[in-house]
């Protein structure tokens, strides 16, 4: 099986070819320019490969409503040329194969559930903490879309008692992303996260905000695994700080080994590491391929329901 995978990021696009085992057989990457150029390069690459399906995990917000005339569009984004652009339609016009389409973070959650940290589980949440904060939600074997798709980066957070930073989200100012994404760390401390020392007070504050998001996810969605990725999480000292804060915030309310004795296995980094996004897109492509074949069987009366 040869499945095309597209990790459509706001900064760079990564395209690759993978198989049903989650092996990435080939990959290329290029900066995200205007959509015509970037999608042109993507199409050119995929055309040079023999693909049986394609999966794309995209930056967003995106339209995931199959009944909408704007299904497959990126909706609102400050990135020049991309707002209200038909990404999926532009790609699909060039290929006669099934396409999977979802947010980059939902894709990452699916990839981790298929081959990574949540393998064998029917639920997980995936937070990415980078230039922005995104949340992918996989529950009872399905990626959550709903009204649009989860936007867990923009939830409200309680301010840390020693934090006077006003927050930088253009919509909500001091939401989670406004307080805890990479650019917020840089604006608060006037230094990039990667340049702050490991024992800097920035990291306890950061852990406090991320822990609140996790606690909300646990209370609302009851996921069986919490996966934290993105550039900021390269600060590996954050994991123990976050786990401790999650326990403090839950304050004994939930009596489960996952949040008591086994929290080290519950709140974890992506097992697919740098390939989390691309493997996620690959998993979307595989699901699209399987769904297409299932519907072919159904059309031929080989499966009832
Ligand atoms: P993007 O979100 O744009 O896809 P990343 O996930 O790499 O990309 O996130 C970039 C953000 O992460 C930047 O704000 C950067 O300062 C921050 N970052 C990258 N590496 C580190 C690091 N080692 N420690 C802390 N912050 C980091
Ligand atoms: Zn916000």
């Amino acid at each position: 099986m040869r499945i095309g995978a597209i990790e459509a990021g706001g900064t760079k696009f990564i395209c690759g070819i993978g198989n049903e085992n989650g092996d990435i057989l080939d990959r290329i990457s290029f900066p995200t320019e205007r959509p015509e150029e970037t999608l042109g390069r993507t199409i050119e690459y995929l055309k040079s490969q023999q693909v049986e399906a394609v999966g794309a995990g995209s930056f967003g917000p995106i339209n995931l409503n199959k009944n909408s005339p704007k299904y497959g569009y990126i909706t609102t984004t400050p990135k020049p040329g991309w707002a209200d652009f038909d990404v999926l339609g532009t790609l699909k016009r060039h290929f006669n194969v099934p396409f999977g389409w979802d947010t980059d973070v939902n894709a990452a959650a699916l990839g981790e559930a298929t081959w990574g940290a949540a393998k064998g589980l029917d639920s997980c949440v995936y937070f990415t903490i980078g230039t922005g904060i995104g949340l992918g939600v996989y529950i009872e074997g399905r990626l959550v879309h709903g009204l649009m798709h989860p936007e867990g980066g923009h939830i409200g957070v309680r301010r840390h008692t020693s934090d006077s930073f006003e927050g930088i989200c253009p919509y909500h100012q001091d939401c989670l992303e406004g307080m805890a994404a990479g650019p917020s760390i840089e604006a608060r401390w006037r230094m990039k996260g990667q340049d702050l020392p490991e024992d800097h007070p920035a990291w306890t504050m950061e852990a406090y905000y991320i822990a609140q998001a996790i606690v909300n996810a646990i209370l609302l969605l009851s996921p069986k695994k919490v996966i934290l990725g993105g550039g900021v999480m390269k600060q590996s000292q954050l994991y123990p700080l976050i786990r401790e804060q999650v326990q403090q915030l839950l304050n004994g309310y939930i009596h489960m080994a996952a949040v008591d004795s086994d929290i080290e296995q519950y709140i974890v980094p992506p097992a697919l590491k740098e390939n989390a996004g691309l493997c996620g897109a690959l998993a979307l492509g595989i699901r699209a391929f399987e769904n297409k074949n299932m519907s072919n069987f159904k059309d031929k009366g080989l499966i009832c329901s």
Side-chain angles (χ1 to χ4, degrees):
M1 192 187 257
R2 284 176 69 81
I3 306 290
I6 306 167
E7 185 183 350
T11 316
K12 65 175 190 249
F13 263 53
I14 306 175
C15 300
I17 305 296
N19 65 18
E20 64 274 27
N21 302 320
D23 304 317
I24 302 294
L25 310 170
D26 186 54
R27 60 184 279 163
I28 60 160
S29 146
F30 38 87
T32 309
E33 319 270 11
R34 294 186 68 87
E36 297 78 8
E37 295 157 37
T38 311
L39 296 176
R41 289 183 79 169
T42 305
I43 291 160
E44 190 188 339
Y45 171 73
L46 290 175
K47 278 201 160 171
S48 71
Q49 311 284 331
Q50 255 66 52
V51 292
E52 293 163 89
V54 179
S58 175
F59 72 100
I62 63 175
N63 189 322
L64 289 168
N65 175 4
K66 287 191 175 158
N67 298 320
S68 161
K70 297 223 163 164
Y71 174 67
Y73 280 53
I74 290 191
T75 58
T76 49
T77 171
K79 270 205 88 62
W82 290 89
D84 206 30
F85 192 91
D86 184 8
V87 174
L88 183 63
T90 303
L91 293 168
K92 275 178 100 166
R93 272 195 285 283
H94 295 267
F95 303 92
N96 188 24
V97 297
F99 265 77
W101 164 250
D102 219 307
T103 64
D104 45 5
V105 266
N106 262 355
L110 181 63
E112 289 292 329
T114 311
W115 300 294
K119 190 175 170 185
L121 301 179
D122 63 358
S123 70
C124 69
V125 293
Y126 186 106
F127 282 98
T128 179
I129 300 130
T131 306
I133 297 186
L135 171 66
V137 181
Y138 179 75
I139 297 290
E140 295 182 349
R142 300 177 74 115
L143 292 169
V144 171
H145 298 157
L147 185 64
M148 186 177 78
H149 49 74
E151 277 289 350
H154 294 271
I155 58 172
V157 283
R158 197 183 290 168
R159 189 174 286 271
H160 191 281
T161 46
S162 47
D163 193 5
S164 58
F165 179 61
E166 63 277 16
I168 55 167
C169 173
Y171 293 92
H172 321 107
Q173 197 154 342
D174 58 359
C175 67
L176 175 67
E177 182 172 296
M179 298 301 274
S184 316
I185 299 173
E186 186 177 346
R188 182 188 287 107
W189 303 104
R190 297 194 174 81
M191 210 189 276
K192 283 189 187 300
Q194 49 269 53
D195 300 327
L196 287 165
E198 226 177 88
D199 57 356
H200 193 278
W203 302 121
T204 11
M205 201 177 272
E206 181 69 10
Y208 178 64
Y209 291 123
I210 297 171
Q212 290 184 55
I214 295 172
V215 164
N216 285 339
I218 293 171
L219 296 173
L220 285 167
L221 301 164
S222 207
K224 290 179 183 164
K225 194 73 86 175
V226 176
I227 303 161
L228 306 176
V232 172
M233 292 310 302
K234 287 185 190 154
Q235 299 288 328
S236 57
Q237 76 280 12
L238 275 173
Y239 289 93
L241 294 172
I242 290 168
R243 292 178 189 125
E244 195 184 310
Q245 296 272 6
V246 165
Q247 288 175 328
Q248 277 183 21
L249 289 168
L250 284 172
N251 200 24
Y253 183 71
I254 291 181
H255 281 292
M256 298 291 292
V259 293
D260 295 332
S261 53
D262 299 345
I263 197 161
E264 278 179 39
Q265 285 83 53
Y266 181 60
I267 299 174
V268 296
L272 302 171
K273 304 209 165 66
E274 299 303 315
N275 273 338
L278 201 56
C279 283
L282 171 60
L284 288 175
I286 292 171
R287 282 214 167 178
F289 180 84
E290 286 169 349
N291 287 341
K292 177 81 178 152
N293 286 350
M294 289 292 266
S295 59
N296 284 347
F297 283 136
K298 272 187 202 150
D299 291 347
K300 290 178 184 142
L302 298 171
I303 298 178
C304 39
S305 85

